[in-house]
Amino acid sequence: MDKLVNADVKELNLLFTGNKKCSTTFRLTNLMHTMSVAVSLTTTNPSIFTFTQQFSIIPPLCTSSFTLNLSKPSNHPPISSPPDTVLVKSTMLPTGKASPEDLRRLFIKPGPHIFKDVTIPISFVGFHVIESLISTSSNVSKTLETAFVLSKAITWCDESEITSLLLPAVTAGNSYVVSSLIDAGADVNKRSPDGESLISLAIRSGDVDTVSVLVESRVLIDHEHDRLLHDAVFANRVDMIEVLCMNYLDLDLDLNSIDFELGQTPVHIAASYGNVEALELLIALGCDVDVADYNGWTAVHCAAVNGHVEAVNLLLSSCKYVKYALDKEKKTAFDLAVENRHIELYDTLHLGDVLCRAARKGDVDVMRKCLAEGARVNAKDQNGWTALHRAAFKGHVEGVKVLLDHGGLVDLVDGSGYTALHRAVEAGHVKVAMMLIAHGAKANMKSLAVPCDLDCFRNCNAVRGKIQRA
C-alpha cells in the first residue's frame, strides 16, 4: 500500500476576494477498512496559509473535511512560482485515539511509518486575481506562470466580470491580458463610463500591441465619438498610425476626419504639436494638407503659430502655395508667426518670397530691408533658385552686389543644376557674369546647355584668366 488516504481534489482553488478572508475546503478519505489513520497537513509557505486543524484522526473508510485559510488578508494574492502546495502525510493509528501533542510528536519522527499520500497545488482564482495582475504590472507577458494563473482565474469569472476587467487591462496596456479576456468572451465594444471606446483608451495607453489586438477583434468605431487617428497623432505614435491605417478599410476610418471642437484633421494635430514623423506618414498616406479648420487655419497656420520650423518646411514642400492661405481674420501663417515672434519662420513663410521678387525687380532697398529682417540670402524657392539666381538672370548688377555682400554663395545650383553664373551667361549679362567670377564663381560652364551670347562666354573666361594671373 503506497498511501492511506485519498483527497477529493487534485488542486485547491482559493477564490481571492481582495483584502478579505478567503479559504477553501477539501476532504480526505481513509482507505483503511479496519484501522484509523492520523493525518498531518503542511504547506510550502506556512506564513501565508493555515489550517483549521493541522492534525486529525480519520476512522476507517470515513471522510473528514479540512479548511485551508489565507492567514493574512491582502490586496494582492500571494502568487508564487512554483505554486505553493499542501502536503498530506498519514500514518496508521491502531488505537484510534491520540492527543494533538501526541500526533505532533508522531509526525516529527521520520520513518517508514509516515506516508506522504498527497501533494495538492494551491491556486488563487477569480475576478480579483486578474485585477491584481493588471494593477501590479503594466507588462504582463505570456509566461507559463502567467498563462496558468490567468486561465485559472478567468474560469471563475462570469461574462460581466470578464468584460468589466477589459477596461483596466486596456488602460494599463496589458495586451496579453486583453487578448485572454477577449478570447474568454469579453465585449470589445463596451465603452468606459465617460463614453470612450476601448481602442481610444488603448492608443492613449501607449501599447501598440493592445491596439493591434483590438483591431484584430473587429472592434466597432463610433464616428461621432471616436477620433482614433487624432489620438495616435497627438501621441506622435507612428507605429499606431500604421496599425490603424493598414486596417482603415476594416475600421471604416476617415483619414481626413475632423474633431468637433475645432474642426481639425489629424494633419492639423500633427502640425500643432510639431510631430514631424506622424506628419510625414499622414502626407504619404494622402491626407489633405490644404483643408482648413473652423477658424480657417490650415496645418501650416497650426505649425506656424507654435513655431514648429521642421513641420512648416515639410508642409510647404507638399504644397507650395498653402502659405498664402487666409484664415477667418484674413491672416496668413506668416502673420501668426510674427504675432508670436517666431523669427526663425519669417524667411520661410514670407521674407524669402519678398526677397526673390525684389531680386527679380532689382529693388535693392527692399532687398536690404528683407535681409535686415532675417531673410536667408541663400534660401531656395520651389525651383531651387536663390535670390542671386534671379538677380543674375535679370542682370541687376546692384542687386547681385547686395546679395554677395550679404553672404550670397556663387556656386549654389538650382533644380536644373545651374549656378547664378550659368543664368547670367544664359541671359547675356556680361557685367553680372564678370562680377560673379570676381567673387569666385567657377567659369566652367559644364551645366550650361547652349550659351545665348558667345561673346559673353568668352568674356567670362577672359576675366577669370585675369583674376587667376593677379
Side-chain angles (χ1 to χ4, degrees):
M1 177 175 290
D2 58 352
K3 63 180 180 178
L4 303 179
V5 298
N6 190 43
D8 67 334
V9 294
K10 292 184 177 181
E11 59 184 351
L12 293 173
N13 296 309
L14 270 79
L15 183 60
F16 186 75
T17 52
N19 210 24
K20 296 180 181 178
K21 293 181 179 180
C22 62
S23 61
T24 185
T25 300
F26 61 101
R27 293 181 295 173
L28 296 175
T29 300
N30 182 357
L31 300 178
M32 301 294 290
H33 288 70
T34 59
M35 191 176 298
S36 295
V37 170
V39 295
S40 166
L41 305 177
T42 57
T43 67
T44 49
N45 201 334
S47 65
I48 294 178
F49 302 102
T50 60
F51 295 96
T52 51
Q53 49 181 340
Q54 184 179 358
F55 303 103
S56 182
I57 299 171
I58 306 175
L61 296 180
C62 289
T63 300
S64 295
S65 295
F66 300 87
T67 302
L68 176 70
N69 303 292
L70 183 63
S71 58
K72 295 180 180 179
S74 171
N75 287 324
H76 303 291
I79 298 170
S80 63
S81 178
D84 291 313
T85 59
V86 172
L87 176 61
V88 180
K89 297 179 182 179
S90 65
T91 187
M92 288 181 281
L93 193 65
T95 63
K97 294 181 180 181
S99 69
E101 183 61 26
D102 291 335
L103 293 176
R104 187 185 66 79
R105 285 195 297 268
L106 181 64
F107 282 102
I108 285 177
K109 297 179 182 179
H113 65 288
I114 302 297
F115 290 77
K116 295 181 179 179
D117 289 338
V118 186
T119 300
I120 311 173
I122 303 170
S123 297
F124 290 95
V125 297
F127 175 90
H128 293 286
V129 173
I130 306 172
E131 191 176 52
S132 178
L133 281 176
I134 295 169
S135 64
T136 56
S137 173
S138 61
N139 295 303
V140 174
S141 58
K142 189 178 179 182
T143 63
L144 289 176
E145 178 192 354
T146 302
F148 175 77
V149 172
L150 190 58
S151 63
K152 287 285 297 181
I154 286 177
T155 59
W156 286 69
C157 298
D158 60 32
E159 186 175 335
S160 62
E161 288 178 323
I162 291 172
T163 296
S164 67
L165 286 164
L166 194 55
L167 176 60
V170 166
T171 304
N174 285 327
S175 60
Y176 178 59
V177 176
V178 169
S179 179
S180 299
L181 292 171
I182 292 173
D183 290 342
D187 182 5
V188 296
N189 294 309
K190 185 76 173 180
R191 289 182 170 263
S192 74
D194 296 330
E196 293 186 280
S197 67
L198 292 177
I199 193 166
S200 290
L201 294 172
I203 292 170
R204 295 177 192 176
S205 79
D207 187 72
V208 69
D209 291 332
T210 301
V211 174
S212 297
V213 167
L214 290 170
V215 169
E216 291 166 5
S217 69
R218 304 293 181 180
V219 62
L220 299 177
I221 305 303
D222 182 349
H223 294 289
E224 290 190 7
H225 299 92
D226 297 329
R227 293 293 176 267
L228 306 185
L229 272 179
H230 290 73
D231 292 338
V233 169
F234 177 78
N236 198 25
R237 289 296 298 270
V238 175
D239 52 351
M240 290 188 184
I241 298 172
E242 289 175 342
V243 168
L244 294 172
C245 290
M246 283 184 349
N247 294 276
Y248 80 96
L249 290 177
D250 292 336
L251 294 172
D252 191 23
L253 205 63
D254 180 4
L255 300 180
N256 294 305
S257 63
I258 62 171
D259 60 37
F260 294 112
E261 183 179 0
L262 297 174
Q264 294 189 333
T265 68
V267 170
H268 285 97
I269 303 298
S272 295
Y273 290 94
N275 294 343
V276 175
E277 288 186 32
L279 193 57
E280 286 178 330
L281 179 56
L282 292 172
I283 292 172
L285 290 168
C287 294
D288 190 353
V289 300
D290 294 320
V291 65
D293 64 13
Y294 295 155
N295 293 317
W297 283 17
T298 65
V300 174
H301 284 90
C302 295
V305 77
N306 292 293
H308 297 308
V309 176
E310 194 174 352
V312 167
N313 290 331
L314 177 60
L315 288 163
L316 293 183
S317 69
S318 302
C319 183
K320 302 296 180 184
Y321 304 105
V322 72
K323 72 169 79 173
Y324 307 116
L326 300 175
D327 65 12
K328 287 189 174 181
E329 295 182 0
K330 307 300 182 184
K331 294 180 180 179
T332 64
F334 171 73
D335 295 327
L336 297 179
V338 171
E339 287 179 5
N340 292 275
R341 299 187 62 80
H342 296 308
I343 298 173
E344 64 277 9
L345 288 173
Y346 291 1
D347 177 79
T348 302
L349 292 173
H350 180 66
L351 293 180
D353 293 342
V354 176
L355 178 62
C356 283
R357 285 197 297 270
R360 186 174 66 247
K361 295 177 180 178
D363 190 335
V364 293
D365 291 335
V366 173
M367 291 169 65
R368 289 192 179 98
K369 184 173 183 295
C370 287
L371 292 167
E373 290 178 353
R376 291 180 296 152
V377 68
N378 294 307
K380 295 183 177 183
D381 65 12
Q382 62 268 27
N383 297 312
W385 283 42
T386 65
L388 189 59
H389 280 88
R390 294 196 176 278
F393 184 69
K394 289 295 184 178
H396 300 307
V397 175
E398 287 301 315
V400 168
K401 185 176 185 303
V402 168
L403 294 169
L404 292 173
D405 290 344
H406 283 81
L409 299 178
V410 294
D411 288 327
L412 290 180
V413 296
D414 61 20
S416 301
Y418 286 9
T419 65
L421 178 58
H422 293 142
R423 294 304 180 188
V425 172
E426 176 186 1
H429 301 303
V430 177
K431 290 183 179 180
V432 170
M434 292 172 65
M435 180 180 291
L436 291 170
I437 290 175
H439 280 79
K442 297 176 182 177
N444 182 354
M445 296 292 188
K446 184 175 182 180
S447 296
L448 186 60
V450 179
C452 298
D453 188 332
L454 186 58
D455 290 334
C456 175
F457 178 79
R458 289 171 178 166
N459 285 334
C460 289
N461 281 318
V463 171
R464 181 67 174 174
K466 292 179 181 178
I467 294 174
Q468 288 176 340
R469 287 193 295 274

